[in-house]
């Protein structure tokens, strides 16, 4: 099947940059010029392996991913009629998944069984993989300083629990031959054959502590002494070395082999990579915005960025905010130093399942097939159709708002555990207020209750961040959920602050990745180093980010009172679940 290609402009004269976004289920190339104008986009699906006997398992292949990257790069160049020589920089972002190779760069299988640790295609433990629960529990019992920088509790979705799981399940002789990469860093390694790692991946996902680096005592305590015994060669940054900050040039640019595979020119600058959500931050928070169709004349400063929360909302949602000093927030990852901008710190909250949760609620309802059929017959997206039906239902029931329509239905959204701010993978979802009703009306109400639950949890994260010292005053969205205007307005109303939508929700992450390529090109061309990275990067962000559209809170005082009550119930639901779990655990002893 050929990749999906969208041609957006015929401009062929300027320098161009390519951003590669490796998401949970696909690879996307975004070709842009220096103004941030998108010339072409190409997307190709990637494969994920599951285990029918273990729902925790999600695995991918770097070979499959790299092949897809070559396909989409060639596609955008062909579609936009851009010569490879016009591409002046390349940037990568990817999910925070663990990629495993040997020291020759060949993939090492991560599937439990006889082939574990041997060369094999399935060499990526996807971010959503929850096999390392016991390893995470061990890590969280250590009291190590590394826990201070992940909100007090490490997620099993991070890389060190996964590496420890591999150590516990693999032959020692095979384990010693492995290199471990956060997936974004693997991509720059594959492109350049330079094993330099990024500050973003190391500090956010690999227990690299700001200002002090690797923690030997921590690795010894959890049984990963092999890492320091080999001077951290398996994780890429030796004692005393520095990781690269976002966009800084990696090695000598594209290797000859990678250039041939991707259809580009050897030596093309490659910028140090980012985790996908952080690329979404880059592609949104420097935007000016339109209010009621009029563009604000305020050009955002780097200081203003500290008041803007970036929410990257797709299968899951990440919430990223930066500050000039490190702020410790219980249950929220960070503070991370220099993950994007030299000298600045970041915190990252998140919801493990949002877009995935909406799909789950819809597709597991008995009336979904009927709703999907009607929507298709009317030529509408099923979400648009359901939202139209909700509005009709509101009118029929003679209530003022959809919140009032579903006021007695309470959904708690942690069907895949809680990432923030509870930081508890054992949390589970619930629905209170169900009736003996499997009709379309029931489907519509459950859909709205799901959207509201996601918005309420977003408020929980924002309140926790601000309660710890952040000063968030607006939310900048990117990702597929930004198309859902009902959900976006709920964010504004529930959180009580404006929401800024990107010019194109599908382009923000890829745009951020392309900026990394331009930063690498500019730093190299001008002979600049780390001390100028912040200035160059922010200027590029302001220049390349298109204006967004602001949604202001619009709920009436009556609806606001109801939303506040729903929020209090949301918080109470958390405490009830914790109490019930404790009672069951005690009764099971």
């Amino acid at each position: 099947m050929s990749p999906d290609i969208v041609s957006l402009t015929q401009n062929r004269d300027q320098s161009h940059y390519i951003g590669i976004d490796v998401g949970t289920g696909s690879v996307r190339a975004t070709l842009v010029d220096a103004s941030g104008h998108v010339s072409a986009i190409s997307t190709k699906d990637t494969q994920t392996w599951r285990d029918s006997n273990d729902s925790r398992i999600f695995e991918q292949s770097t070979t499959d991913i790299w092949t897809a990257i070559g396909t989409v790069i060639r596609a955008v160049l062909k579609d936009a009629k851009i010569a490879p020589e016009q591409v002046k920089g390349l940037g990568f972002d990817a999910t925070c998944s663990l990629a495993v190779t040997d020291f020759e760069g060949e993939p090492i299988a991560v599937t439990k069984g006889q082939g574990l640790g041997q060369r094999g295609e399935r060499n990526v433990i996807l971010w959503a993989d929850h096999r390392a629960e016991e390893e995470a529990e061990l890590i969280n019992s250590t009291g190590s300083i590394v826990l201070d920088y992940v909100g007090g509790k490490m997620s099993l979705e991070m890389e060190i629990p996964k590496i420890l799981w591999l150590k516990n399940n693999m032959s020692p002789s095979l384990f010693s031959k492995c290199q471990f990469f956060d997936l974004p860093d693997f991509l720059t390694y594959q492109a350049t054959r330079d094993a330099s790692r990024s500050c973003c991946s190391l500090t956010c996902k690999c227990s690299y502590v700001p200002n002090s680096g690797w923690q030997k005592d921590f690795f010894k305590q959890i049984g990963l002494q092999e890492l320091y015994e080999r001077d951290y060669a398996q994780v890429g940054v030796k004692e005393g070395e520095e990781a690269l900050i976002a966009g800084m040039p990696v090695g000598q640019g594209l290797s000859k082999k990678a250039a041939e595979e991707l259809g580009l020119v050897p030596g093309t600058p490659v910028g140090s990579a980012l985790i996908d959500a952080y690329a979404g931050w880059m592609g949104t928070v420097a935007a000016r915005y339109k209010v009621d169709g009029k563009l604000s004349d305020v050009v955002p400063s780097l200081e203003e960025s500290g008041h803007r929360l970036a929410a990257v909302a797709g299968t899951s949602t990440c919430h990223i905010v930066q500050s000039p000093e490190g702020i410790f927030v219980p249950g929220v990852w960070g503070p991370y130093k220099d993950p994007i901008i030299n000298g600045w710190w970041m915190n990252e909250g998140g919801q493990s399942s949002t877009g995935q949760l909406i799909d789950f609620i819809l597709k597991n309802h008995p009336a979904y097939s009927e709703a999907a059929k009607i929507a298709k017959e009317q030529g509408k997206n099923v979400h648009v159709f359901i939202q139209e039906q909700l509005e009709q239902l509101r009118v029929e029931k003679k209530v003022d708002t959809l919140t009032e329509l579903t006021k007695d239905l309470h959904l708690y959204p942690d069907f895949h555990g809680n990432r923030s701010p509870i930081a508890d993978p054992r949390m589970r979802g619930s629905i209170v207020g169900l009736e003996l009703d499997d009709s379309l009306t029931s489907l519509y109400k459950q859909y709205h209750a799901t959207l509201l639950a996601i918005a309420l949890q977003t408020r929980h994260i924002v309140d926790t961040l601000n309660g710890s010292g952040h000063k968030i005053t607006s939310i900048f969205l990117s990702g597929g959920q930004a198309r859902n205007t009902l959900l976006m307005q709920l964010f504004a109303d529930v959180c009580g602050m404006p929401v800024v939508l990107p010019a194109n929700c599908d382009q923000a992450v890829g745009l951020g990745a392309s900026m990394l390529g331009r930063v690498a090109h500019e730093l190299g061309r001008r002979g600049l180093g780390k001390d100028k990275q912040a200035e160059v990067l922010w200027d590029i962000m302001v220049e390349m980010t298109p204006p967004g559209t602001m949604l202001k809170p619009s709920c009436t005082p009556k609806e606001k009172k109801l939303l506040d009550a729903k929020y209090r119930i949301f918080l109470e639901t958390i405490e009830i679940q914790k109490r019930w779990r404790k009672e069951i655990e005690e009764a099971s002893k």
Side-chain angles (χ1 to χ4, degrees):
M1 181 180 296
S2 62
D4 176 33
I5 304 171
V6 184
S7 180
L8 301 171
T9 186
Q10 296 301 313
N11 189 338
R12 317 198 225 309
D13 299 326
Q14 301 182 45
S15 296
H16 280 72
Y17 307 89
I18 296 178
I20 299 296
D21 169 38
V22 179
T24 299
S26 64
V27 167
R28 173 172 294 184
T30 302
L31 178 70
V32 305
D33 65 23
S35 71
H37 193 78
V38 176
S39 301
I41 294 173
S42 177
T43 303
K44 186 170 179 58
D45 290 343
T46 52
Q47 185 171 359
T48 299
W49 287 270
R50 302 294 309 278
D51 186 331
S52 59
N53 297 315
D54 190 344
S55 63
R56 302 173 302 170
I57 302 300
F58 292 78
E59 295 173 353
Q60 293 186 337
S61 161
T62 57
T63 302
D64 176 53
I65 290 168
W66 190 252
T67 299
I69 290 173
T71 299
V72 295
I73 287 178
R74 292 176 188 276
V76 293
L77 294 178
K78 179 180 179 181
D79 188 57
K81 297 182 173 59
I82 294 294
E85 292 78 13
Q86 290 177 265
V87 177
K88 303 302 181 182
L90 181 64
F92 294 94
D93 76 76
T95 63
C96 52
S97 303
L98 181 71
V100 186
T101 74
D102 61 21
F103 280 86
E104 285 71 52
E106 295 299 321
I108 297 296
V110 297
T111 306
K112 189 172 184 178
Q114 291 185 345
L116 179 65
Q118 307 283 351
R119 286 189 174 180
E121 183 179 13
R122 292 163 60 172
N123 70 316
V124 177
I125 302 180
L126 193 66
W127 66 269
D129 189 297
H130 280 194
R131 72 182 69 183
E133 183 173 350
E134 291 183 7
E135 287 75 14
E137 289 178 355
L138 170 63
I139 289 169
N140 287 323
S141 71
T142 62
S144 170
I145 188 176
V146 303
L147 301 178
D148 295 342
Y149 291 88
V150 289
K153 192 171 185 180
M154 186 174 294
S155 169
L156 76 175
E157 295 178 2
M158 292 184 173
E159 307 307 5
I160 298 303
K162 294 172 182 174
I163 293 172
L164 183 56
W165 182 92
L166 290 171
K167 192 263 176 93
N168 290 340
N169 288 274
M170 189 185 294
S171 163
S173 62
L174 295 177
F175 183 81
S176 66
K177 298 176 182 178
C178 293
Q179 287 191 98
F180 303 106
F181 296 88
D182 194 41
L183 184 55
D185 286 348
F186 169 81
L187 298 175
T188 59
Y189 169 72
Q190 186 77 349
T192 66
R193 268 307 184 256
D194 186 301
S196 298
R197 306 303 171 93
S198 65
C199 277
C200 185
S201 284
L202 288 194
T203 61
C204 298
K205 305 301 175 186
C206 299
S207 302
Y208 192 79
V209 175
N211 298 326
S212 60
W214 300 118
Q215 302 299 302
K216 179 178 178 180
D217 291 346
F218 166 67
F219 289 121
K220 182 177 181 180
Q221 196 172 2
I222 65 173
L224 276 178
Q225 60 273 11
E226 291 90 345
L227 298 186
Y228 65 76
E229 287 173 352
R230 301 187 65 188
D231 198 15
Y232 304 101
Q234 291 177 277
V235 286
V237 176
K238 296 180 180 180
E239 194 80 51
E241 290 183 345
E242 287 191 346
L244 298 178
I245 304 176
M248 292 182 69
V250 180
Q252 301 302 310
L254 277 183
S255 69
K256 182 178 179 181
K257 180 175 184 292
E260 291 174 353
E261 293 168 341
L262 302 183
L264 294 172
V265 176
T268 300
V270 175
S272 183
L274 291 175
I275 297 163
D276 51 0
Y278 290 77
W281 182 93
M282 274 193 70
T284 55
V285 299
R288 297 166 66 189
Y289 50 80
K290 300 174 184 177
V291 183
D292 299 326
K294 183 179 180 180
L295 181 63
S296 168
D297 58 4
V298 177
V299 178
S301 65
L302 179 56
E303 287 68 30
E304 167 63 20
S305 70
H307 304 298
R308 298 179 170 192
L309 176 77
V312 186
T315 303
S316 61
T317 300
C318 293
H319 308 80
I320 299 173
V321 62
Q322 74 169 7
S323 59
E325 68 284 329
I327 298 175
F328 292 86
V329 185
V332 173
W333 298 341
Y336 302 131
K337 190 172 186 293
D338 303 334
I340 297 183
I341 295 182
N342 185 31
W344 283 70
W345 298 72
M346 283 184 156
N347 288 94
E348 178 187 352
Q351 296 160 283
S352 290
S353 179
T354 50
Q356 182 184 51
L357 175 64
I358 296 169
D359 288 343
F360 179 84
I361 293 296
L362 287 178
K363 293 177 180 178
N364 283 276
H365 194 285
Y368 175 71
S369 296
E370 183 180 356
K373 179 182 177 183
I374 298 172
K376 184 176 181 180
E377 290 172 350
Q378 295 183 5
K380 296 175 181 176
N381 175 280
V382 68
H383 295 268
V384 173
F385 168 74
I386 291 174
Q387 290 173 25
E388 292 175 349
Q389 298 306 305
L390 275 166
E391 178 58 21
Q392 288 187 21
L393 189 60
R394 182 195 67 77
V395 173
E396 291 172 8
K397 297 297 183 181
K398 299 180 180 179
V399 294
D400 294 332
T401 63
L402 296 182
T403 304
E404 189 173 353
L405 181 68
T406 60
K407 65 181 180 180
D408 295 319
L409 188 60
H410 309 286
L411 187 144
Y412 183 76
D414 284 334
F415 285 49
H416 196 56
N418 183 275
R419 188 183 298 169
S420 303
I422 308 170
D424 186 348
R426 297 175 298 169
M427 293 296 292
R428 292 295 177 262
S430 64
I431 306 177
V432 176
L434 292 175
E435 303 174 86
L436 287 173
D437 183 1
D438 60 3
S439 67
L440 285 168
T441 296
S442 169
L443 172 68
Y444 305 152
K445 289 183 176 181
Q446 287 190 31
Y447 173 81
H448 183 265
T450 305
L451 300 190
L452 180 55
I454 292 170
L456 291 169
Q457 190 165 65
T458 301
R459 176 176 170 180
H460 192 198
I461 293 169
V462 171
D463 283 358
T464 303
L465 288 165
N466 281 345
S468 297
H470 284 286
K471 298 176 181 178
I472 298 165
T473 58
S474 58
I475 302 174
F476 281 63
L477 262 294
S478 63
Q481 289 177 46
R483 286 192 295 264
N484 191 323
T485 53
L486 176 57
L487 178 58
M488 297 301 98
Q489 191 62 58
L490 280 171
F491 279 1
D493 292 342
V494 169
C495 296
M497 60 182 61
V499 169
V500 177
L501 305 181
N504 190 310
C505 62
D506 289 332
Q507 295 177 15
V509 176
L511 178 63
S514 72
M515 293 175 185
L516 297 171
R518 186 175 174 196
V519 173
H521 171 65
E522 291 293 334
L523 291 175
R525 181 181 68 85
R526 295 158 61 182
L528 302 177
K530 176 181 175 181
D531 60 325
K532 293 295 184 180
Q533 184 266 358
E535 177 184 339
V536 170
L537 186 144
W538 184 256
D539 287 348
I540 286 173
M541 287 173 60
V542 171
E543 181 180 356
M544 294 181 68
T545 308
T549 300
M550 177 177 282
L551 292 179
K552 296 180 180 179
S554 63
C555 59
T556 63
K558 178 181 177 181
E559 184 178 13
K560 179 61 175 173
K561 184 177 179 181
L562 192 54
L563 289 173
D564 288 343
K566 296 282 277 190
Y567 184 54
R568 290 192 295 272
I569 292 169
F570 175 90
L571 297 177
E572 186 179 6
T573 301
I574 297 170
E575 298 309 313
I576 290 172
Q577 182 173 160
K578 288 180 177 179
R579 190 178 75 243
W580 286 358
R581 184 198 302 161
K582 183 178 180 181
E583 290 186 16
I584 291 297
E585 288 173 349
E586 291 176 351
S588 300
K589 291 179 181 178

